[in-house]
Every structure is written in structure tokens, then in C-alpha cells.
Amino acid sequence: MSYVDEVLERVKAKNASEPEFLQAVEEVLESLRPVIEANEEKYRKEALLERITEPDRQLKFRVPWVDDKGQVQVNTGYRVQFNNSIGPYKGGLRLHPSVNIGIIKFLGFEQVFKNSLTGLPIGGGKGGSDFDPKGKSDREVMAFCQSFMTELCKYIGADVDVPAGDIGTGAREIGYMFGQYKRIRGMYEGVLTGKGLTYGGSLARTEATGYGLLYITEELMKCHGESMEGKTVVVSGAGNVAIYAIQKAQQMGAKVVTCSDSTGWIYDPEGIDVALLKEVKEVKRARLTEYAAARKSAEYHEGRGVWQIKCDIALPCATQNELLIDDAKQLVANGCKAVCEGANMPTTLDATKYLQDNGVWFICGKASNAGGVATSALEMSQNSERLSWTFEEVDAKLKQIMVNIYHNIDDAAKRYNMEGNYVAGANIAGFEKVAEAMLAQGVC
Ligand code: GLU
């Protein structure tokens, strides 16, 4: 049996109850086949794939907090420190009721390769909790964040592990967590990214994931002789990634006609009104029904459905496994040219294959959404030198990083005779650097 198959089997047997983690591992190992085959004996002897698919450590802890009625609530906190061979662990904290160890492991595993692709010195990790910030008061969110950090602070540090935002964790949550870290550890350091601008945050970090997604999408189009100008774009999600993806797409001259949240979706043929969307989602933390109520041209639909809208470019920016095989078929039937993932693993394996087999240019999240974590690494640099850079400086670096990622993954795919397969290219380019660092550092 080939080394890849052997390890895949072992990972499946060991992690049978973690479907998302298995999906992420399968995607990576499948596309690494040619790289592994070229070095099979050495990698097998070094147990490189066993090591790379096993986190350095997994932390799981109780998070008790008191709600506004005086009732004690208990959530579960997680931090998976996956791999620090190229830098301190780095990755977000997801606060969502669906969070479990399998979800955090899949995200941590993806993060290892994504962070490698940025070209910056950051390892991979991820954390979070099954806490649901929706409908909670600011005081309840603070109580949760303080309790969460009371435990997490023992395991992180500016040169150890640097968490950040993800679904459910934005500037408010990062602020509460930073305050608690500082208080307990008595130390002012860049231990979190996505901080507020008054206490060490970086300009352009808020916009970075969405902007970065559009910078790489634009480069992809450009390299195929196309531009963003006049294109119809379909976006899912209405969180941080979606909002700034929509904004940048519009700045580039495209028309974005959809967005969605957990209960429904908007079709707005005149183009999404970003200011209104920000007001509804960032200020009021309300549902998209409020967007529809305030805008004549918008239709609101319950459930899911953005992928049925005819488009040139589709940008899934909501969450994992939100673009399924039937959606892929619909996109192809409607003439969609490119799919670039803003979320982490939003497209299922069979949907990805269908899109690629039908000539759709497909860039996976670990490449196309790397702008967020890349800018987090720029925030770490600024914290280390105790300086802050201008918006233009950070934005220019972000753009360069995304353009570089596109060419690196394109080149990696070409080197292994898989031209146009950006999934394989991303996995190979991300893996090569981590693998080399791991081998150089001996058995650890
Ligand atoms: N949660 C984001 C991601 O999935 C950002 C992580 C970070 O900035 O550390 O990459």
C-alpha cells in the first residue's frame, strides 16, 4: 500500500468521529500524492505524514460564567496547537454552538498550510468554544471571554501561540480577552491579533480577509485575460469576511448581488448596499430581514439559495460545507467561471471536484482567505517593533502577499503537471515549507 493510503487509513481509524477533520486531511493528502511518491522512502522513515496529521497538543477546558439572570452557565473551551515548525502557533478562536474538537482540529490543520502559504513565520493553531454569542448581552459576552481567557492564558504568549478572531469572535471579544490576559499575566504583549486600534491593533486587519480574497481573485482573473470590471459576483455570508469582500469587489467594478446569514439570504439585483449591510450586521447585530426591510431592491428568502443566482464569480464566505454538489452543478450550468473560498472549507470534496472537472477556476480557502492571518502576522510585526504602519502600507503588503500566493500555488501545480489545479498547488506549496522545517528540526 502507498504511504499516503496507509496514513489516510490510520488517520481515519484514529479520528472516526471527526468528519470535518478527516475531510480536511483527505483533501491535503490526496493532492500531496505526487510529492510524497517522489520522497516516499524518506518520508515514511521519518513518519512525516503521521506527525503532520497529529496536533502538537489539544487543550480542552471548562468555561463557567454567570448570565444576566444570575444563572451559572458552562461551556467547553478548546485550543489545538497543531504545528509550530515555522513559527508560533497562530489561528483564530471560533465561538459557535457547532464547535467541537473535530471542527477545531480541521481548522487547525488547514491553518498550518495556510500560514505557510503567507510566507510569514507563523505556525498553525485554532481554538474556540461552543458558546453562542448570538442574543447575549455585552456583559454576558464579557463574562464568557474573561472566563475563557482565565484558562487559555496559561498556554499562549506573543512568542508561543497568538489567537485571533474567527466566526463569533470580533473586535469586542478580542478586547475583553486581551484585557483579561493583561490582568492575569501582568504583561502587555501582542498575544492576540485583531485588537482595537488604540491598543496595538493593525490598520486594515478588519478588512484583510475580504480584501485579500478579492486581490487573489483579481490576479486569477488577470492571469486568464479577464478583469473584475462588470462581473456579477455571488457572495454567501454576512460576517467580517463577506462584508469586506463585497466592498472590495464593488471597488473593483464588480456587482455583488447576494449575501446570506444563518436564517436566510438576500438577492439584491441592484448590488448589495455595503453601508446598510454593515449597519445591520456590525452595529445592530441583527438579521438580514432588517436589510431587506430597509432596501426596496432587495428580496429576502428563508433558508439557503445564493448559488442558484447566475454569476461570473462565486465567493463562499460563510462557513464549512456550505457549497454542495448540487450547488456546484447549478453554478456550472449558469456559466460561473471562478470560485474562490473566503471561508474555511466551504466547498465539499465532491463539489470541488465537479467544479474543477468542469473548467471552473477554483481557489481553496487556505490560499484565498490567507489575507486575514497574513495581516495578523503584520500586526505581530508592528507589536514587536512597537510601531504602527499606515493603512496604505499594510494594504499594499497584503496585496503583494496575495499576488505571491497566487503565483506560488500556480507554479507548484505546474511543477507537478497539474496546471490549473490550485487546490493541489496550495497544498503542495504549503506543505513543502512545513515539511522542510520539520525535517531540519529532527524528531519532534
Ligand atoms: N480565523 C482566521 C483564519 O481562519 C484568522 C486567523 C488569524 O488571524 O490568526 O485564518
Side-chain angles (χ1 to χ4, degrees):
M1 199 193 288
S2 80
Y3 180 40
V4 166
D5 288 320
E6 204 181 294
V7 174
L8 267 176
E9 228 170 65
R10 206 174 299 176
V11 173
K12 279 180 191 160
K14 256 184 130 168
N15 306 278
S17 60
E18 298 168 2
E20 293 85 2
F21 177 59
L22 294 179
Q23 183 182 340
V25 171
E26 197 175 321
E27 188 224 83
V28 171
L29 293 196
E30 282 299 341
S31 51
L32 290 180
R33 274 184 199 282
V35 186
I36 306 301
E37 271 160 27
N39 301 279
E40 178 131 358
E41 209 182 317
K42 180 171 159 202
Y43 286 175
R44 192 194 289 266
K45 190 158 181 235
E46 292 281 351
L48 187 67
L49 295 182
E50 288 88 336
R51 284 197 272 155
I52 216 166
T53 52
E54 180 85 37
D56 290 356
R57 66 192 62 77
Q58 300 175 197
L59 307 160
K60 182 177 179 192
F61 49 93
R62 180 175 67 238
V63 188
W65 56 279
V66 182
D67 73 15
D68 285 347
K69 296 193 188 88
Q71 175 66 47
V72 175
Q73 300 287 343
V74 180
N75 287 104
T76 307
Y78 302 91
R79 186 72 182 167
V80 172
Q81 298 179 329
F82 220 108
N83 189 304
N84 66 352
S85 50
I86 61 172
Y89 305 107
K90 181 85 198 84
L93 298 169
R94 179 170 293 190
L95 302 183
H96 192 268
S98 65
V99 163
N100 57 45
I101 190 64
I103 299 270
I104 300 298
K105 271 172 71 182
F106 118 63
L107 291 163
F109 184 70
E110 290 275 298
Q111 202 83 44
V112 173
F113 303 95
K114 181 196 306 193
N115 294 3
S116 166
L117 285 174
T118 65
L120 300 167
I122 39 178
K126 200 86 183 192
S129 173
D130 57 359
F131 173 77
D132 188 358
K134 221 172 276 163
K136 303 286 192 298
S137 69
D138 284 350
R139 196 211 59 81
E140 288 175 322
V141 170
M142 180 169 74
F144 168 82
C145 290
Q146 290 180 337
S147 179
F148 182 80
M149 185 51 86
T150 300
E151 182 61 22
L152 186 67
C153 75
K154 300 168 190 169
Y155 312 103
I156 61 177
D159 293 315
V160 180
D161 182 356
V162 183
D166 195 77
I167 293 172
T169 306
R172 174 181 61 169
E173 291 73 18
I174 292 293
Y176 294 148
M177 289 183 197
F178 186 76
Q180 186 72 351
Y181 180 86
K182 196 185 57 163
R183 193 171 181 211
I184 298 179
R185 298 288 299 266
M187 204 189 265
Y188 204 105
E189 60 170 355
V191 66
L192 292 164
T193 59
K195 299 185 291 298
L197 297 177
T198 51
Y199 59 95
S202 172
L203 285 161
R205 175 62 188 91
T206 306
E207 296 84 354
T209 315
Y211 279 20
L213 173 65
L214 267 296
Y215 293 145
I216 200 169
T217 305
E218 185 183 43
E219 189 65 13
L220 168 78
M221 298 299 283
K222 210 172 96 188
C223 291
H224 287 88
E226 304 241 12
S227 81
M228 295 300 297
E229 185 71 42
K231 294 291 183 296
T232 300
V233 179
V234 157
V235 168
S236 64
N240 169 266
V241 182
I243 288 173
Y244 294 97
I246 295 170
Q247 187 173 77
K248 185 51 78 178
Q250 289 178 346
Q251 286 171 12
M252 290 173 170
K255 186 187 245 187
V256 184
V257 293
T258 64
C259 62
S260 65
D261 66 12
S262 55
T263 50
W265 58 286
I266 295 284
Y267 174 55
D268 192 340
E270 289 189 4
I272 297 290
D273 177 341
V274 182
L276 175 61
L277 183 62
K278 280 180 155 181
E279 172 72 19
V280 170
K281 284 292 166 185
E282 289 180 346
V283 182
K284 293 189 182 157
R285 298 179 192 274
R287 290 182 46 188
L288 283 175
T289 41
E290 292 216 11
Y291 176 96
R295 182 137 162 112
K296 260 215 187 92
S297 56
E299 291 171 16
Y300 176 80
H301 301 270
E302 291 285 332
R304 56 193 296 286
V306 298
W307 313 123
Q308 48 188 281
I309 300 297
K310 188 173 164 49
C311 64
D312 302 302
I313 298 167
L315 306 174
C317 297
T319 192
Q320 68 273 0
N321 294 332
E322 52 153 322
L323 199 164
L324 314 176
I325 182 73
D326 288 338
D327 304 318
K329 288 181 180 163
Q330 186 77 62
L331 286 169
V332 169
N334 283 342
C336 174
K337 286 184 176 146
V339 175
C340 300
E341 296 183 326
N344 290 311
M345 207 171 75
T347 314
T348 57
L349 292 173
D350 54 351
T352 302
K353 187 169 182 326
Y354 187 86
L355 292 169
Q356 290 177 318
D357 288 349
N358 285 278
V360 176
W361 310 319
F362 180 89
I363 306 191
C364 56
K366 62 172 78 70
S368 48
N369 74 31
V373 75
T375 307
S376 277
L378 301 179
E379 182 172 330
M380 290 166 71
S381 300
Q382 293 169 77
N383 292 165
S384 296
E385 61 175 19
R386 299 187 197 283
L387 288 173
S388 45
W389 306 338
T390 64
F391 186 96
E392 290 68 29
E393 231 174 317
V394 180
D395 190 41
K397 286 193 163 73
L398 166 64
K399 186 167 184 182
Q400 194 55 56
I401 289 168
M402 298 313 296
V403 169
N404 288 347
I405 292 177
Y406 174 78
H407 291 285
N408 284 341
I409 68 176
D410 187 38
D411 288 348
K414 285 177 183 155
R415 270 194 278 127
Y416 286 91
N417 294 320
M418 291 186 279
E419 181 163 359
N421 186 343
Y422 304 108
V423 175
N427 289 327
I428 292 168
F431 169 81
E432 282 176 335
K433 183 174 169 189
V434 176
E436 200 181 316
M438 285 175 75
L439 294 173
Q441 292 169 28
V443 180
C444 59

